[in-house]
Amino acid sequence: MSLLQITDNHDWKDYKSFFIDETEAECHLPNLQKIANINIKELSLDDNPNLLIFPRDLNHHGDKIGDNCIISLNHRNEISTSNMMGFVGINETQIDIKSRFAKEDREDYFLHYMLEKVFSINLFDMKHSSSKEQIFDFLIYLFPYFLKKALAQGLFKKYRRYEHNNANVKGPIDISRHIKENIPFRGTISYSTREHSYDNEITQLIRHTIEFIRTKKNSSHILNIDNETKECVNQIIMATSSYNLRERDKIISKNLRPMQHPYYSEYSILQKICLQILRHESIKFGQEKDKVYGILFDGAWLWEEYLNTILSKLGFKHPQNKNSKGGFPMFVNEKDNDELDNNSRRLYPDFYKEDFIIDAKYKHLEKGVGREDLYQIVTYMYCKKATKGAYIYPCKDKNIKSMKHELSGHGGNIFIIPFLIPQSSKNYNCFRNNILKSENNLSTCDFLSSESKH
């Protein structure tokens, strides 16, 4: 295995420079070409079941994440990257895509910290020996988050067929089984029933995953990370009374077809994570010819969800476009929606409250804001009658200050607020302490205070 280390939003650079020599580089070019210039939507299809992309909604807030490529190669075989961060590989080639704020000789503290905050996990003790092991570690640490999301929709139930042999007939008689078991007649009749049950192949898969994690010395503690997780684990255990360790392969086999359910939608990703955790020992990623594997996070989505852990405490709402939750209408009358837009047009800024609209940007804004981004936030401000708007973006330079720009017409101000990502932390604990200072600076920023003048 060879590991190519690169950062997100990387400009064109000769791919050979990432390998020891030209011979090694030439060996990996065919593999890189199998991933390059192919949009994420195509790569994340069922043909590559061991590739996980977050967010699961590839059209998150209309961002069309699925249309982006993980890496791009031009005609000179120069490589570039998009917003995607994490680990991806194919055959003997592995790519570690760090955030652009990671130091070359250190772990990617910023990516790990955002994952810790967004998924409410503790990544401090993770070991980073190889890309394959990192994928496995991430999956285990993400398990409680998706377990809670799934059980928030209720304990999964489905119809199961039960076979009976007694005198209390409640379903269709099974003639062949009745002849086999009750001749000569003993006063009992063989029949079957079809009943809703919480003990099924999905809950059994989750139970096997729980029991598997319990055997892992360094990660078993995640099952007790908080009261909600413990309660979810207990619900699964109570529902799966027929659990049998020897039937693990049988349960895995029953779950190889991805589930699709209009109500229990969150169980789909949980099923996928459980399968990868349980099959970790048997899956040889590098030996699955031409199959793409890995775990990737969209930087813009992760940055937005990370900011939500800060801004939600300041009273900002974070609407959910996918679930049509939050946001506000563009038009006062529904009739106008139908006549002008025919789409019941609602606006979903990243964050908003009474008099303030915020756009989370993972882009470089040191040199200004793009026209489309500017028009978008002005539209939001106008329809919300807000007099304050802001862009919040991550930056490395501690000398860059927030900027304030006054709008013409109806008035109001737009602020460009840099969020300092620590660059000189000697270890993860030091990084955590330093970035907490940035979080505090943002929380106490005059621009975000409802009492600030405009």
Side-chain angles (χ1 to χ4, degrees), residues 98-350:
K98 297 182 178 182
S99 76
R100 62 180 183 270
F101 299 95
K103 291 286 188 178
E104 289 186 6
D105 58 341
R106 293 177 187 163
E107 296 290 350
D108 192 352
Y109 297 147
F110 183 47
L111 171 59
H112 293 170
Y113 184 76
M114 286 196 293
L115 291 173
E116 181 178 302
K117 295 287 283 188
V118 171
F119 292 102
S120 300
I121 54 180
N122 182 3
L123 295 169
F124 182 69
D125 295 325
M126 285 185 66
K127 302 291 188 293
H128 301 282
S129 55
S130 70
S131 179
K132 179 180 173 182
E133 293 303 320
Q134 289 181 42
I135 294 167
F136 179 63
D137 287 338
F138 272 127
L139 289 172
I140 284 187
Y141 278 83
L142 292 176
F143 174 75
Y145 175 85
F146 288 100
L147 174 65
K148 288 184 281 191
K149 288 196 71 174
L151 284 177
Q153 294 182 329
L155 196 58
F156 184 83
K157 63 180 179 180
K158 66 175 294 186
Y159 280 109
R160 285 188 63 188
R161 185 173 180 270
Y162 293 90
E163 294 183 344
H164 307 274
N165 190 41
N166 54 49
N168 302 316
V169 181
K170 297 179 181 179
I173 297 174
D174 189 335
I175 300 298
S176 60
R177 190 162 56 87
H178 177 72
I179 293 173
K180 181 179 180 180
E181 296 183 6
N182 297 312
I183 300 296
F185 185 63
R186 300 182 302 174
T188 58
I189 297 175
S190 296
Y191 64 97
S192 62
T193 59
R194 190 166 178 265
E195 305 172 16
H196 263 126
S197 174
Y198 293 116
D199 195 353
N200 49 67
E201 68 270 18
I202 296 294
T203 52
Q204 281 287 340
L205 180 71
I206 301 170
R207 173 69 182 275
H208 278 276
T209 306
I210 289 171
E211 299 302 332
F212 177 80
I213 293 174
R214 278 178 169 169
T215 66
K216 298 299 175 182
K217 181 179 178 181
N218 294 327
S219 52
S220 60
H221 67 278
I222 67 153
L223 299 175
N224 302 301
I225 198 167
D226 55 44
N227 290 332
E228 187 180 358
T229 300
K230 288 191 284 188
E231 176 60 30
C232 289
V233 169
N234 289 334
Q235 283 188 59
I236 295 296
I237 292 173
M238 293 290 290
T240 51
S241 56
S242 64
Y243 166 77
N244 185 338
L245 175 61
R246 296 186 181 89
E247 294 186 345
R248 181 163 295 171
D249 290 340
K250 178 181 176 182
I251 294 297
I252 290 174
S253 179
K254 285 184 176 182
N255 280 276
L256 292 180
R257 171 180 285 186
M259 68 158 289
Q260 294 181 343
H261 197 289
Y263 181 75
Y264 296 108
S265 56
E266 295 294 345
Y267 279 85
S268 177
I269 178 62
L270 180 60
Q271 179 195 40
K272 198 167 186 177
I273 287 175
C274 289
L275 283 172
Q276 290 208 32
I277 290 174
L278 292 176
R279 298 175 68 206
H280 171 70
E281 302 298 336
S282 60
I283 290 178
K284 304 298 182 184
F285 291 128
Q287 295 177 13
E288 293 187 286
K289 185 171 176 56
D290 295 339
K291 293 293 185 182
V292 183
Y293 62 89
I295 180 167
L296 293 166
F297 304 89
D298 178 69
W301 169 78
L302 198 56
W303 170 244
E304 181 182 321
E305 296 306 309
Y306 165 57
L307 282 183
N308 185 47
T309 65
I310 304 170
L311 297 176
S312 61
K313 297 173 183 177
L314 301 178
F316 282 92
K317 297 176 182 178
H318 184 41
Q320 301 176 39
N321 189 6
K322 179 183 177 182
N323 301 323
S324 298
K325 293 182 179 179
F328 46 84
M330 176 176 282
F331 301 104
V332 174
N333 300 315
E334 291 187 9
K335 183 179 179 181
D336 295 331
N337 284 324
D338 296 335
E339 292 179 352
L340 293 173
D341 186 67
N342 196 28
N343 194 31
S344 299
R345 177 64 60 189
R346 291 186 69 81
L347 302 177
Y348 296 93
D350 293 341

Side-chain angles (χ1 to χ4, degrees), residues 64-92:
K64 298 183 179 180
I65 297 166
D67 294 339
N68 296 327
C69 301
I70 299 173
I71 62 170
S72 299
L73 283 172
N74 64 12
H75 64 284
R76 292 191 295 271
N77 286 331
E78 293 173 325
I79 193 170
S80 68
T81 55
S82 61
N83 274 343
M84 303 308 297
M85 298 181 284
F87 316 98
V88 65
I90 182 169
N91 300 327
E92 299 80 20

